[in-house]
Amino acid sequence: MSAPATSRGTLLKVRTALRRNWLHFVLLPLLALWISPLVWILVTSLKTRVEVFDPSAGFLPAVAQWSNYPAAMAVAPFGTYLVNSILATGGILICELVTITLAAYAFARLNFPGKNILFTLFLLQIMFPIYATFLTNFVTVRELGILNSLPALIVPFVASGYGTFMLRQAFRQVPTELADAARLDGCGHLGILWHVYLPLVKPTLVAFSIIAVVTHWNDYMWPLLVTNSESVRTLPIGLGLLAKSDSGADWTRLMAATVVVVSPLLLFFVIFQRRFVDSFMHAGLK
Amino acid sequence: MVTGPALRARIGEAGLAYLLLAPSLVFLAAFTYWPIVRSVWFSFHDVMLGSDKIFFLGWENYERLWTDGLFWKSLANTAFYTLVTIPSAIACALLLAVALDSKLRGMTFYRSAFFYPVMIPSVAAGMVWVFLYAPGYGPINHALALVGLPKLEWLYDSNTAMIAIIIMSIWKYSGYFMLILLAALQMVPSDLYEAARLDGVSAWNRLIHITIPLISPTLYFVVIIGLLHSYQIFDYVYVMTQGGPADATNVLTFYIYQNGFQYQDIGYASTLANVLLLFVGGLITLVALVFGRRVHYLGR
């Protein structure tokens, strides 16, 4: 009697386990599809050239070719590119944080003639795709004589309609009582902005910073247009050059360079995953 | 009636506001509004890159559009790309978000795995997919052969090149939309689902009649963001196909680049840029008219 009961019990257990976990059966194949390009980058970066083109060579390299990494880095001054990427992205972010904080405070908490028109003008920037303005911006940057310099990489992105909008929404959620209390204590507008508002909208600032860093760190077209010497090129441009110089055939070194270029952001993402996802989701709500 | 001190305070407030807005406005004017105005002005002129001479042309650049087959092709390609990619990526993102909204083991890992493509530079993503799509040794064809399907030329065939870029774009952007939708889903009160489940409403009907209406403002937001993002395609075209084969992947942004920087014809390129602006504006207006009214705002 006990044997069939046990098997029925196991069957039931299996069935509930299935019912509880069936989603995994849908998600796991998708997951495999999604991460396979990343796996492929890593695996290829450790192969020999011959293995890449040989379908019978198997999925993993026979011997991991770590030398692909120094070889890829020797093709171009990636150290300089890394510094340029940090300077350009950091420069844009700092400028943006200053401009959007000031503008968002004006829109959220001050009254002045022309407020609605000006706000609409800020929003218009979100609508204008950069691809509609890159030609004339290129002409402007050339006229300013800053072509092929770090400022050329930064100036078009100093003001952000999107950031102003996000931050204004966040400022408006802050109870006015807090600002009134600070004013009674003799705080001016800038003091209130600094001591009351900014600390309270940190998640929004983080979310905006993430979006800005990812966008500008990865930007390809604008740096491609305005830089032509190694001293001001950024990482994505270096990667593109490597692809061209090797006519796309030397996949092993190219993938090694890709790992190097991709890993700073991915590493950052893995470490701050939870906060990253939370702030991103928070930003999505706004 | 505003009296002395109050008036002074008000002027003070307005003055401060303009002061706070000034940094943004200077840069917005220089790199967003002025380029648009200038682009319109350029489009009525013959302007060559690297030359200071400018000749007035009138409507000539716009008349040229009508007879330029490549312009129409790039416009059609842009529309095709947008109209296939955005709905597919959003549908994919919605299903992923609904699946990941439940309390599932390994949730963080799933989220990260679907989101990471967003963080990869488009030029890197483009190159990796050139490799994945390679006809001879590419893993995708390898996989197709394993399940007995014919190998494809992917980026080298004008019938499949755009599809190949679309598939890659869905991989690249679904995670971004998923995260935004996930945030919205977590705001939906769970007792609504409980009640529906008790009434015997199927999972599919719960999705159609409860979930989608409740998150429709976010869906709307995602559609708009998606439309604005669909011009990122420039990088992929530049890296993967250079508009080819036979201009099958030549999109408006790439055609602008070609005219401006390869043929140095800033005047005509500006004309195309203005068309792009109208195209984006038109699409967003269309979306606003068709979907904007159906958006349900909870408690508003």
Side-chain angles (χ1 to χ4, degrees):
Chain A
M1 247 349 248
S2 76
T6 321
S7 77
R8 202 177 297 143
T10 353
L11 203 70
L12 209 69
K13 237 181 240 167
V14 168
R15 198 179 286 166
T16 38
L18 265 178
R19 191 171 295 158
R20 203 170 292 157
N21 294 309
W22 67 272
L23 258 178
H24 288 293
F25 294 94
V26 182
L27 286 171
L28 280 173
L30 270 176
L31 185 82
L33 275 179
W34 242 256
I35 58 174
S36 55
L38 188 64
V39 173
W40 222 274
I41 297 173
L42 289 171
V43 168
T44 307
S45 76
L46 295 172
K47 282 185 173 177
T48 64
R49 277 191 193 207
V50 180
E51 282 172 317
V52 172
F53 297 108
D54 183 4
S56 63
F59 178 69
L60 291 170
V63 182
Q65 306 290 316
W66 294 104
S67 62
N68 285 336
Y69 282 82
M73 292 301 98
V75 173
F78 275 91
T80 313
Y81 297 163
L82 177 70
V83 172
N84 289 335
S85 274
I86 292 172
L87 289 177
T89 309
I92 292 172
L93 181 64
I94 290 167
C95 292
E96 274 184 333
L97 286 176
V98 172
T99 57
I100 68 170
T101 302
L102 298 180
Y105 184 79
F107 283 127
R109 285 292 179 247
L110 299 175
N111 279 312
F112 53 93
K115 186 173 174 176
N116 287 335
I117 297 169
L118 282 172
F119 191 59
T120 314
L121 272 178
F122 270 67
L123 290 185
L124 268 185
Q125 197 221 11
I126 307 173
M127 281 238 339
F128 290 152
I130 176 180
Y131 297 99
T133 53
F134 73 96
L135 273 171
T136 24
N137 277 342
F138 176 82
V139 176
T140 305
V141 162
R142 201 183 49 183
E143 285 166 351
L144 290 172
I146 54 171
L147 215 53
N148 212 21
S149 75
L150 206 58
L153 294 173
I154 296 174
V155 284
F157 311 105
V158 166
S160 166
Y162 186 60
T164 308
F165 178 72
M166 265 176 83
L167 210 54
R168 167 191 173 263
Q169 300 294 91
F171 280 162
R172 280 165 51 138
Q173 314 259 317
V174 177
T176 39
E177 290 80 11
L178 287 174
D180 292 340
R183 189 165 297 138
L184 285 179
D185 288 344
C187 226
H189 276 293
L190 290 180
I192 293 171
L193 174 57
W194 185 257
H195 294 293
V196 179
Y197 281 85
L198 280 183
L200 288 173
V201 298
K202 249 186 209 152
T204 308
L205 288 174
V206 170
F208 173 77
S209 304
I210 290 167
I211 297 170
V213 166
V214 170
T215 308
H216 297 295
W217 184 269
N218 292 340
D219 190 16
Y220 184 59
M221 186 200 61
W222 183 251
L224 178 76
L225 294 181
V226 297
T227 64
N228 57 32
S229 72
E230 303 222 309
S231 58
V232 282
R233 275 178 185 146
T234 56
L235 283 176
I237 303 300
L239 203 57
L241 286 173
L242 189 68
K244 255 187 195 156
S245 69
D246 289 333
S247 59
D250 192 355
W251 288 108
T252 56
R253 281 198 297 181
L254 197 52
M255 289 303 121
T258 305
V259 171
V260 173
V261 171
V262 164
S263 36
L265 275 195
L266 281 192
L267 208 67
F268 188 74
F269 176 61
V270 169
I271 295 170
F272 296 104
Q273 202 273 136
R274 195 166 290 270
R275 171 174 289 202
F276 194 110
V277 171
D278 285 348
S279 4
F280 219 93
M281 288 171 57
H282 186 85
L285 272 176
K286 297 278 158 172
Chain B
M1 194 60 204
V2 187
T3 50
L7 185 67
R8 208 175 310 139
R10 239 175 123 175
I11 292 173
E13 190 170 318
L16 178 69
Y18 295 136
L19 208 65
L20 295 180
L21 293 175
S24 292
L25 279 173
V26 167
F27 283 91
L28 282 177
F31 296 100
T32 303
Y33 311 136
W34 170 234
I36 300 284
V37 173
R38 216 173 175 197
S39 173
V40 171
W41 191 79
F42 277 167
S43 71
F44 291 103
H45 292 78
D46 182 11
V47 194
M48 297 303 279
L49 195 69
S51 155
D52 293 331
K53 295 200 182 78
I54 291 179
F55 304 101
F56 182 70
L57 285 181
W59 290 96
E60 214 171 283
N61 279 328
Y62 287 92
E63 283 157 13
R64 192 173 146 192
L65 284 178
W66 286 108
T67 50
D68 182 358
L70 207 45
F71 157 67
W72 291 107
K73 184 154 195 177
S74 68
L75 188 66
N77 285 340
T78 306
F80 178 73
Y81 172 83
T82 308
L83 295 177
V84 177
T85 308
I86 304 303
S88 332
I90 291 176
C92 189
L94 182 61
L95 292 178
L96 283 176
V98 170
L100 294 184
D101 187 35
S102 52
K103 282 191 183 65
L104 205 64
R105 195 183 279 252
M107 180 69 62
T108 1
F109 184 68
Y110 277 124
R111 275 192 204 155
S112 310
F114 290 119
F115 185 72
Y116 89 90
V118 178
M119 318 250 324
I120 292 188
S122 49
V123 54
M127 283 177 347
V128 170
W129 280 79
V130 167
F131 180 44
L132 296 178
Y133 279 130
Y137 51 88
I140 292 181
N141 268 352
H142 216 61
L144 284 182
L146 277 181
V147 290
L149 287 169
K151 291 188 170 189
L152 291 171
E153 290 289 309
W154 292 112
L155 296 167
Y156 299 96
D157 181 342
S158 55
N159 292 316
T160 51
M162 190 54 113
I163 305 284
I165 293 185
I166 287 173
I167 292 174
M168 189 210 62
S169 303
I170 294 170
W171 167 80
K172 184 90 165 65
Y173 293 116
S174 294
Y176 181 66
F177 301 146
M178 172 198 76
L179 218 51
I180 298 174
L181 291 172
L182 201 50
L185 285 176
Q186 296 191 339
M187 305 292 284
V188 175
S190 57
D191 46 342
L192 274 177
Y193 292 119
E194 283 310 316
R197 199 171 295 145
L198 288 177
D199 286 346
V201 180
S202 71
W204 176 254
N205 279 329
R206 286 201 299 267
L207 177 69
I208 297 295
H209 296 293
I210 300 176
T211 311
I212 290 183
L214 281 179
I215 61 163
S216 57
T218 310
L219 267 176
Y220 181 55
F221 173 76
V222 164
V223 170
I224 299 284
I225 292 285
L227 284 178
L228 293 172
H229 266 251
S230 67
Y231 303 96
Q232 298 275 356
I233 188 184
F234 172 89
D235 295 1
Y236 307 132
V237 168
Y238 184 87
V239 172
M240 296 168 84
T241 61
Q242 288 282 317
D247 287 305
T249 58
N250 200 335
V251 289
L252 217 37
T253 51
F254 188 73
Y255 196 45
I256 296 171
Y257 167 82
Q258 267 189 327
N259 276 285
F261 290 94
Q262 287 179 359
Y263 315 142
Q264 318 246 307
D265 191 345
I266 294 286
Y268 190 54
S270 297
T271 313
L272 292 165
N274 299 342
V275 172
L276 174 70
L277 207 55
L278 288 177
F279 180 79
V280 179
L283 265 180
I284 288 178
T285 314
L286 196 72
V287 168
L289 286 177
V290 174
F291 297 108
R293 284 193 206 136
R294 299 197 193 169
V295 172
H296 299 254
Y297 289 95
L298 199 66
R300 245 175 280 171

